[in-house]
């Protein structure tokens, strides 16, 4: 089977020497949900823009369903639905008219457009706004219409660039629900994000990039298993004492202890769940009444931070 | 749900028509079109009523009647306004307003988008010019009892000039980043800069053949019988040294050729620039 997305030594250079994307190579398997993760300026959006023919490729190749985007963009993008940045809409058109327009460009028969318009607007919860001109829609509403248009023609590949960017918390939750639906529907999704929890929540695979270079590309589980320590947040009802903290630093698995205030500290801890339970007993054994003892941050965060740090 | 879309894509020409259809929607729902209709209807009403108000007779010749209603200055301004409003920001607005992020990642060539937009602009300026001329021509039929083929010829030249001016607007829109700059430059280029060059050339005795605004004078000249010829007036009764005053009239064939040249060159250059332009920022 043809791999839906193949990036081969993809490079984008601005000016004479600024490499926004540097020799990026990766292959996305069919029906996988890949998150491309990296800090601001890492090259995520540039990669997506080259994939969707919004930017020209300096060198290398981007293939969609086996077709080179640079040499044959029309056919390469035929099976693709994309939301890049936060697109703006023609304010004089309604969502239904916009979807009719894009459906016609994509060669959909009118009956199909009508049927799919109803389905995708239901999916993004915009049915009641279908006949209202988009001009006065909020950013969140526009983002949902953007998702609807990307799915209108039942593409084989969906490319999303930070789909929850700029949305309020409710909007983010709603868009993530749509993303989870896409995952169930077996779409091949390639999504950029800088939100670790979002990627961990919806993606099967993660590509970590920084400075335009690929740092890691694997399944979420495989990447999480590379992490051999976790960050634990401890809050106590008593005051932190220096001697007790020194004893805690000597406990097996404790790599670093950071006191935040008189009643709170963080521990970088390497160990399994049994060892973690023993650590809790140790803290209590030191005479502290523990208010809370929990993992801080998401599993990918430590790996992400260590990879990003090592690349700087 | 199965996700197996391998739909046959429409031809480039079908996509040109789709883009044009929805771009016409934009024009029809815009205030710009309403504004230009109001301007032309107001001018037509005044020019048609003026002889009656002033108690003067209407011209009896159909061509002269049309010429008296559609004063060239107004025709020229109307065409420049139409080219500015409907072409001046046609391309750059896709970048500035970020609608390019919606349209460009679709399976459509940029050339189809460009041609579709130009087709829609061409149809809108054709509509504007048709109302302008056909109201005058029909009024001429009522008042004089006939239609002059010269009026039809003038209409054809006016449409050609409107298309050439719109092509210049598309080129500017492909070069500039912002809509406001593109609109202002299109307007001043056609309204001031080209006519200024025409005047300077004429003063020096050089016929400004390559100028689009000079060639547009054929729109009015064609309504005059016989067709005016170039001539020179020797002015020696002045306080300074004597000098020549030149009067140039572009032949219809030259006007048509230059207009077509502007349409071709501006659109080829505009299309190349549009295709090379990236969606940055």
């Amino acid at each position: 089977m043809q791999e839906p997305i193949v990036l081969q030594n993809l490079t984008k250079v601005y000016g004479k020497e600024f490499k926004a994307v540097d020799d990026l190579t990766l292959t996305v398997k069919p029906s996988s949900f890949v998150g491309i993760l990296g800090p601001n300026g890492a090259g995520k959006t540039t990669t997506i823009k080259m994939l969707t023919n919004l930017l020209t490729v300096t060198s290398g190749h981007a293939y969609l369903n086996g077709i080179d985007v640079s040499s044959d963009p029309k056919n390469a993008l035929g099976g693709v639905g994309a939301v890049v940045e936060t697109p703006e809409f023609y304010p004089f058109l309604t969502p239904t008219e916009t979807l009719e327009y894009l459906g016609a460009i994509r060669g959909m028969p009118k009956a199909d457009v009508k049927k799919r318009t109803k389905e995708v607007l239901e999916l993004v919860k915009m049915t009641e706004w279908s006949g209202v001109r988009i001009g006065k829609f909020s950013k969140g509403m526009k983002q949902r219409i953007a998702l609807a248009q990307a799915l209108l023609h039942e593409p084989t590949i969906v490319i999303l660039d930070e789909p929850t960017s700029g949305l309020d918390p409710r909007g983010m939750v709603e868009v993530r629900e749509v993303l989870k639906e896409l995952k169930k529907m077996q779409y091949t999704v390639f999504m950029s994000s800088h939100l670790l929890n979002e990627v961990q929540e919806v993606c099967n695979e993660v590509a970590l990039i920084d400075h335009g270079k690929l740092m890691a590309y694997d399944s979420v589980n495989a990447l999480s298993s590379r992490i051999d320590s976790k960050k634990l947040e401890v809050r106590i009802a008593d005051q932190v004492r220096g001697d007790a903290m020194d004893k805690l630093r000597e406990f097996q698995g404790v790599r670093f202890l950071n006191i935040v205030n008189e009643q709170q500290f963080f521990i970088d801890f390497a160990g399994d769940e049994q060892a973690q339970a023993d650590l809790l007993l140790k803290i209590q054994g030191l005479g502290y009444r523990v208010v809370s003892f929990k993992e801080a941050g998401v599993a990918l965060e430590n790996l992400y931070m260590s990879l990003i740090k090592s690349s700087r | 749900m199965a996700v197996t879309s391998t739909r046959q894509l429409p031809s480039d020409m079908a996509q040109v028509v789709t883009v044009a259809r929805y771009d016409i929607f934009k024009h029809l729902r815009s205030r710009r079109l309403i504004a230009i209709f109001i301007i032309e209807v107001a001018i037509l009403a005044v020019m048609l009523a003026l002889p009656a108000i002033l108690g003067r007779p209407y011209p009896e010749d159909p061509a002269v009647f049309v010429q008296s209603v559609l004063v060239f200055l107004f025709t020229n301004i109307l065409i420049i306004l139409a080219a500015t409003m409907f072409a001046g920001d046609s391309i750059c607005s896709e970048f500035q307003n970020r609608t390019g992020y919606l349209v460009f990642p679709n399976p459509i060539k940029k050339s189809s988008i460009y041609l579709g937009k130009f087709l829609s602009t061409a149809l809108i300026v054709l509509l504007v010019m048709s109302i302008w001329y056909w109201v005058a021509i029909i009024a001429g039929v009522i008042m004089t009892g006939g239609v002059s083929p010269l009026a039809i010829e003038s209409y054809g030249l006016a449409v050609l000039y409107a298309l050439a001016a719109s092509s210049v607007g598309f080129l500017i829109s492909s070069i500039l980043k912002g809509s406001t700059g593109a609109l202002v430059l299109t307007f001043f280029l056609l309204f001031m800069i080209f006519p200024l060059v025409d005047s300077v050339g004429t003063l020096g005795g050089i016929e400004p053949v390559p100028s689009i605004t000079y060639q547009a004078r054929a729109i009015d000249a064609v309504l005059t019988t016989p067709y005016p010829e170039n001539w020179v007036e020797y002015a020696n009764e002045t306080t300074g040294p004597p000098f020549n005053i030149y009067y140039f009239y572009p032949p219809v064939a030259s006007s048509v050729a230059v207009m077509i040249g502007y349409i071709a060159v501006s659109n080829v250059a505009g299309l190349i620039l549009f295709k090379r332009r990236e969606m940055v920022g």
Side-chain angles (χ1 to χ4, degrees):
Chain A
M1 184 187 258
Q2 191 87 59
E3 301 297 356
I5 301 176
V6 176
L7 306 182
Q8 262 180 11
N9 309 108
L10 194 68
T11 301
K12 178 68 183 176
V13 181
Y14 287 110
K16 283 188 179 169
E17 51 190 43
F18 174 65
K19 280 188 177 175
V21 174
D22 189 1
D23 207 26
L24 190 63
T25 296
L26 66 85
T27 300
V28 174
K29 294 192 283 286
S31 303
S32 55
F33 202 126
V34 177
I36 176 166
L37 194 60
N40 291 333
K44 306 184 295 290
T45 298
T46 305
T47 302
I48 281 184
K49 282 184 176 178
M50 284 191 283
L51 255 180
T52 49
N53 197 38
L54 291 164
L55 291 178
T56 52
V57 172
T58 305
S59 64
H61 298 275
Y63 296 96
L64 291 168
N65 291 323
I67 304 168
D68 192 331
V69 178
S70 298
S71 56
D72 186 5
K74 180 173 175 180
N75 284 310
L77 291 166
V80 175
V83 180
V84 186
E85 301 232 339
T86 303
E88 269 303 330
F89 291 83
Y90 298 108
F92 53 89
L93 294 179
T94 66
T96 302
E97 288 166 344
T98 302
L99 296 178
E100 281 169 1
Y101 175 35
L102 298 173
I105 283 179
R106 292 162 182 164
M108 294 175 71
K110 280 184 180 172
D112 279 10
V113 173
K114 199 172 175 185
K115 175 175 157 278
R116 286 292 297 157
T117 295
K118 191 166 175 284
E119 288 172 1
V120 292
L121 288 179
E122 267 174 24
L123 181 70
V124 299
K125 300 186 177 76
M126 286 295 287
T127 306
E128 62 185 296
W129 299 94
S130 61
V132 180
R133 287 190 196 177
I134 299 176
K136 289 181 180 171
F137 280 12
S138 69
K139 190 172 180 181
M141 292 162 87
K142 286 179 185 169
Q143 192 72 341
R144 282 188 274 165
I145 299 295
L147 277 170
Q149 66 79 27
L151 303 174
L152 179 73
H153 55 307
E154 295 175 88
T156 54
I157 302 168
V158 178
I159 298 173
L160 306 170
D161 179 29
E162 304 200 0
T164 57
S165 170
L167 300 182
D168 60 24
R170 188 181 158 195
M172 289 170 93
V173 169
E174 285 176 356
V175 168
R176 267 183 216 143
E177 290 307 314
V178 176
L179 297 179
K180 286 176 190 168
E181 286 297 313
L182 299 188
K183 196 171 176 177
K184 284 183 206 160
M185 292 174 191
Q186 301 283 297
Y187 280 98
T188 300
V189 181
F190 189 69
M191 179 186 92
S192 79
S193 179
H194 61 268
L195 301 174
L196 291 148
N197 59 335
E198 182 173 282
V199 168
Q200 193 156 344
E201 199 178 332
V202 296
C203 297
N204 310 114
E205 293 180 16
V206 179
L208 281 168
I209 67 167
D210 191 30
H211 289 104
K213 285 182 181 290
L214 186 67
M215 312 300 292
Y217 179 43
D218 213 329
S219 69
V220 172
N221 290 339
L223 286 175
S224 299
S225 69
R226 286 198 205 174
I227 307 158
D228 63 348
S229 72
K230 61 190 85 174
K231 184 180 274 185
L232 299 170
E233 181 193 1
V234 185
R235 281 203 307 120
I236 52 177
D238 313 288
Q239 283 207 342
V240 170
R241 300 185 319 269
D243 59 324
M245 290 295 112
D246 289 341
K247 283 181 183 165
L248 208 49
R249 282 191 182 95
E250 287 164 12
F251 189 79
Q252 192 174 6
V254 174
R255 292 185 171 174
F256 184 72
L257 197 148
N258 177 30
I259 299 167
V260 179
N261 59 44
E262 288 181 342
Q263 292 177 318
Q264 186 184 14
F265 54 91
F266 285 98
I267 302 171
D268 279 355
F269 182 72
D272 58 14
E273 289 186 343
Q274 194 61 47
Q276 196 171 315
D278 290 343
L279 176 67
L280 175 60
L281 287 174
K282 174 73 179 173
I283 295 167
Q284 289 170 323
L286 290 167
Y288 289 125
R289 290 171 297 156
V290 176
V291 176
S292 79
F293 178 84
K294 62 180 181 182
E295 287 184 28
V298 290
L300 273 179
E301 191 172 56
N302 286 351
L303 176 67
Y304 174 82
M305 291 310 293
S306 64
L307 285 172
I308 299 302
K309 260 184 224 164
S310 63
S311 76
R312 297 199 171 202
Chain B
M1 183 196 293
V3 185
T4 53
S5 168
T6 48
R7 183 173 288 113
Q8 182 73 37
L9 292 170
S11 68
D12 292 344
M13 196 39 70
Q15 289 181 318
V16 167
V17 172
T18 300
V19 172
R21 203 151 45 94
Y22 280 86
D23 210 51
I24 285 172
F25 250 155
K26 175 180 88 180
H27 295 312
L28 292 178
R29 289 180 178 179
S30 75
R31 288 182 188 153
R32 292 179 186 184
L33 189 63
I34 296 166
I36 211 156
F37 279 158
I38 291 170
I39 291 169
E40 70 177 344
V41 167
I43 295 173
L44 282 168
V46 170
M47 296 310 290
L48 285 169
L50 207 55
I53 293 166
L54 297 173
R56 289 181 184 167
Y58 284 94
E60 289 177 1
D61 179 80
V64 179
F65 180 89
V66 169
Q67 196 175 25
S68 72
V69 174
L70 308 181
V71 176
F72 178 63
L73 175 70
F74 295 146
T75 305
N76 190 35
I77 290 175
L78 191 69
I79 289 171
I80 292 169
L81 276 178
T84 303
M85 287 177 170
F86 305 121
D89 63 348
S90 203
I91 300 297
C92 60
S93 65
E94 295 287 347
F95 293 87
Q96 192 184 22
N97 300 339
R98 300 167 65 85
T99 45
Y101 283 119
L102 179 71
V103 180
F104 300 160
N106 279 288
I108 181 170
K109 291 178 181 166
K110 274 186 161 178
S111 53
S112 302
I113 297 172
Y114 186 98
L115 289 175
K117 284 175 161 285
F118 185 74
L119 184 62
S120 98
T121 300
L123 290 171
I124 290 294
V125 296
L126 181 68
L127 175 68
V128 170
M129 293 321 296
S130 297
I131 291 171
W132 182 245
Y133 266 84
W134 286 102
V135 167
I137 289 170
I138 291 165
V141 171
I142 295 164
M143 302 303 289
T144 68
V147 179
S148 166
L150 297 178
I152 308 295
E153 209 174 324
S154 175
Y155 166 64
L157 286 167
V159 169
L160 204 55
Y161 175 42
L163 293 180
S166 299
S167 304
V168 171
F170 264 72
L171 174 59
I172 291 169
S173 188
S174 300
I175 297 169
L176 294 194
K177 282 186 178 173
S179 293
T180 309
L183 291 171
V184 170
L185 184 59
T186 304
F187 183 79
F188 281 101
L189 189 68
L190 295 167
F191 190 69
M192 285 181 71
I193 298 169
F194 269 120
L196 197 67
V197 173
D198 297 349
S199 303
V200 171
T202 304
L203 274 173
I206 302 163
E207 185 179 2
V209 177
S211 166
I212 185 176
T213 47
Y214 167 69
Q215 296 294 345
R217 290 185 203 168
I219 294 167
D220 187 53
V222 81
L223 292 167
T224 309
T225 307
Y227 195 89
E229 289 184 358
N230 296 349
W231 60 287
V232 184
E233 185 182 354
Y234 183 67
N236 58 356
E237 292 176 7
T238 61
T239 51
F243 60 93
N244 292 331
I245 301 172
Y246 297 88
Y247 297 89
F248 295 119
Y249 298 92
V252 171
S254 135
S255 180
V256 170
V258 172
M259 299 292 184
I260 290 172
Y262 268 89
I263 293 170
V265 172
S266 298
N267 282 313
V268 168
L271 179 56
I272 290 168
L273 290 167
F274 176 50
K275 283 172 89 169
R276 291 177 60 173
R277 198 161 169 176
E278 296 188 320
M279 202 72 201
V280 184

